[in-house]
Amino acid sequence: MTDAQETAAASSLRTTGGAPPDDGGSTDSGAPTPLLEPREGIPPVIADEAALAEVVAAFAAGTGPVAVDAERASGYRYGQRAYLVQLRREGAGTALIDPVGCPDLSGLGEALSGAEWVLHAATQDLPCLREIGMVPTRLFDTELAGRLAGFPRVGLGAMVEGVLGFVLEKGHSAVDWSTRPLPEPWLRYAALDVELLVDLRDALEKELDRQGKLEWARQEFDAIASAPPPEPRKDPWRRTSGMHKVRRRRQLGVVRELWQTRDRIAQRRDVSPGKVLSDAAIVEAALSLPANVQALAALTGFGHRMGRRQLEQWQAAVDRAKALAESQLPQPGQPVAGPPPPRAWADKDPAAAARLSAARAAVSALAEKLNMPQENLIAPDAVRRVCWEPPAADADAVADALRTYGARPWQVEQVTPVLVAALAGAGA
């Protein structure tokens, strides 16, 4: 049993039926225990300012870390806004807050500003939490902690089961959380998602400390908490699935026009763009360049279920792209900042390709030794940049380069020696 599991075994966790099992999660047979009900039952959904004020006061008076989660309506609604926020803290219990009824949670965010927030896969939830005024100053990411600690499966359910010995019901993760009122089984699931987050955090902290990785994790958490909001993607239409089939500039223009038309409609209707028109249909129209509505209707994705008016709006988008002057058409590919794709290195710069091969092998071996994924040991892009335009093959120069590319101090310390050796061996 690891220290993390021993920590879990010592905790007082409730399951359906009342008292915690003697071994802290597993049943007498050793099987994980289903966690079916929140300890205090399903809390009411907070959807007005008066009830929110009570929650803010309760959580401000609570103690210790605060578990935070958010549910979005990905695949159903436009954008990634939060449709439910769940919190749990010692002394305050669990709260379920409806951001539709309470769209400004900045007061709650301020009340919790001094606390450590515990999230699972924090980078997924932080953007939608930021939109409603909730921004942590300190956090603990249980998914990232699991990666650094070497757990093979780091989903919340897998972590809770493997570390704490409880089974979370995950059947509602992909439902439409914009539904109102939210069904009771969904609310139970949402409350259970934060039920054990702090317990999981405590167990993982002890395990990371045992492995000598706790300071590394803290640096990673600080980097997430202090990171600015990501810049909007340039030319997001280029991420249309199936774009690799589209080669000609006129066809690219059709993809762009259809994508932008779809996005405007989806935003206006507040539905997922994929429910308006599929990526596959956009690519099919771009490849076919239909001459009229009848030709468009014959294409996959524009079938008999689509009305005449809808077909006409898509054909109009195709026609706009077909009427563009050559100078107005998008260029194939995107300007690439930094090194070219690695597959092109052997032709463009065989020496750089040799450096990259040596560096990748060295980083892979180190990651295996440290028992963590390579991408958590060091960002692959940082390795590529060092190999494409190598600094002097000495520790100071390589360390400076890694810091320039965003590596944290612990990563610089661990990776610099193996990169120096790899670059020297490859003749940098």
Side-chain angles (χ1 to χ4, degrees):
M1 177 181 289
T2 66
D3 282 5
Q5 291 166 326
E6 289 172 355
T7 301
S11 61
S12 298
L13 304 178
R14 291 194 163 203
T15 59
T16 302
D22 292 339
D23 62 356
S26 299
T27 61
D28 291 340
S29 65
T33 302
L35 191 69
L36 303 178
E37 287 290 336
R39 310 175 213 208
E40 299 93 14
I42 303 172
V45 177
I46 305 303
D48 62 68
E49 293 303 320
L52 177 61
E54 294 181 7
V55 166
V56 171
F59 274 79
T63 59
V66 55
V68 183
D69 191 22
E71 305 295 346
R72 299 176 298 279
S74 303
Y76 297 94
R77 295 289 183 174
Y78 185 86
Q80 294 294 314
R81 66 171 293 188
Y83 282 94
L84 188 71
V85 175
Q86 308 102 279
L87 305 100
R88 182 173 182 83
R89 192 180 194 189
E90 184 70 30
T94 297
L96 304 179
I97 303 175
D98 178 5
V100 177
C102 301
D104 181 6
L105 298 186
S106 57
L108 178 60
E110 290 170 7
L112 299 174
S113 63
E116 177 189 82
W117 296 21
V118 184
L119 300 100
H120 192 82
T123 54
Q124 294 183 20
D125 286 339
L126 288 178
C128 70
L129 290 170
R130 184 180 287 111
E131 287 182 359
I132 52 179
M134 295 186 66
V135 182
T137 55
R138 294 190 296 132
L139 63 82
F140 189 107
D141 186 331
T142 50
E143 184 201 48
L144 181 51
R147 291 180 183 276
L148 295 174
F151 285 84
R153 297 167 60 222
V154 293
L156 180 59
M159 293 291 290
V160 167
E161 181 175 341
V163 176
L164 301 179
F166 291 89
V167 177
L168 286 177
E169 194 271 306
K170 297 297 289 182
H172 303 300
S173 59
V175 299
D176 181 2
W177 287 94
S178 68
T179 300
R180 293 296 182 273
L182 287 164
E184 183 177 291
W186 299 13
L187 297 175
R188 180 181 296 108
Y189 157 88
L192 288 174
D193 258 8
V194 292
E195 182 83 3
L196 300 180
L197 263 183
V198 174
D199 300 276
L200 180 60
R201 172 238 179 270
D202 292 345
L204 289 172
E205 180 180 62
K206 191 166 186 178
E207 180 65 14
L208 287 167
D209 190 37
R210 185 187 72 81
Q211 295 185 23
K213 299 175 180 175
L214 183 56
E215 176 55 29
W216 302 358
R218 286 173 175 156
Q219 290 180 27
E220 292 299 301
F221 303 155
D222 288 345
I224 294 172
S226 61
E231 293 288 333
R233 281 200 178 102
K234 188 177 187 300
D235 293 344
W237 59 270
R238 291 185 184 272
R239 297 176 64 86
T240 303
S241 180
M243 277 290 289
H244 62 281
K245 303 175 187 176
V246 182
R247 305 293 175 85
R248 291 158 47 196
R249 291 180 64 197
R250 186 69 57 186
Q251 294 172 333
L252 290 170
V254 172
V255 171
R256 181 177 64 186
E257 194 64 41
L258 285 171
W259 189 98
Q260 292 175 345
T261 301
R262 179 184 70 173
D263 195 64
R264 288 192 295 270
I265 295 169
Q267 188 170 11
R268 185 178 71 244
R269 291 169 48 189
D270 190 19
V271 297
S272 169
K275 290 187 174 296
V276 176
L277 188 68
S278 70
D279 280 9
I282 289 177
V283 170
E284 183 76 10
L287 295 176
S288 301
L289 297 175
N292 50 46
V293 167
Q294 289 72 28
L296 181 70
L299 300 178
T300 303
F302 298 92
H304 64 278
R305 294 184 179 182
M306 191 172 287
R308 176 81 184 188
R309 185 176 176 183
Q310 290 175 292
L311 287 169
E312 288 175 347
Q313 75 181 0
W314 300 125
Q315 184 61 44
V318 173
D319 291 341
R320 286 195 298 273
K322 290 166 69 175
L324 290 173
E326 195 73 19
S327 60
Q328 296 174 300
L329 294 173
Q331 295 293 333
Q334 288 178 283
V336 178
R343 63 179 178 273
W345 285 32
D347 292 332
K348 290 179 177 292
D349 189 337
R355 290 192 293 268
L356 182 61
S357 178
R360 281 175 162 175
V363 169
S364 176
L366 179 58
E368 186 172 349
K369 177 183 175 183
L370 295 175
N371 191 27
M372 68 173 64
Q374 294 180 47
E375 64 269 20
N376 293 114
L377 173 58
I378 188 69
D381 181 64
V383 176
R384 287 193 294 268
R385 288 172 181 268
V386 166
C387 292
W388 184 251
E389 295 181 347
D394 66 73
D396 289 342
V398 171
D400 287 344
L402 289 175
R403 281 189 284 268
T404 299
Y405 301 137
R408 266 69 72 189
W410 77 270
Q411 295 175 315
V412 173
E413 180 182 2
Q414 294 296 319
V415 174
T416 294
V418 300
L419 280 186
V420 169
L423 292 174

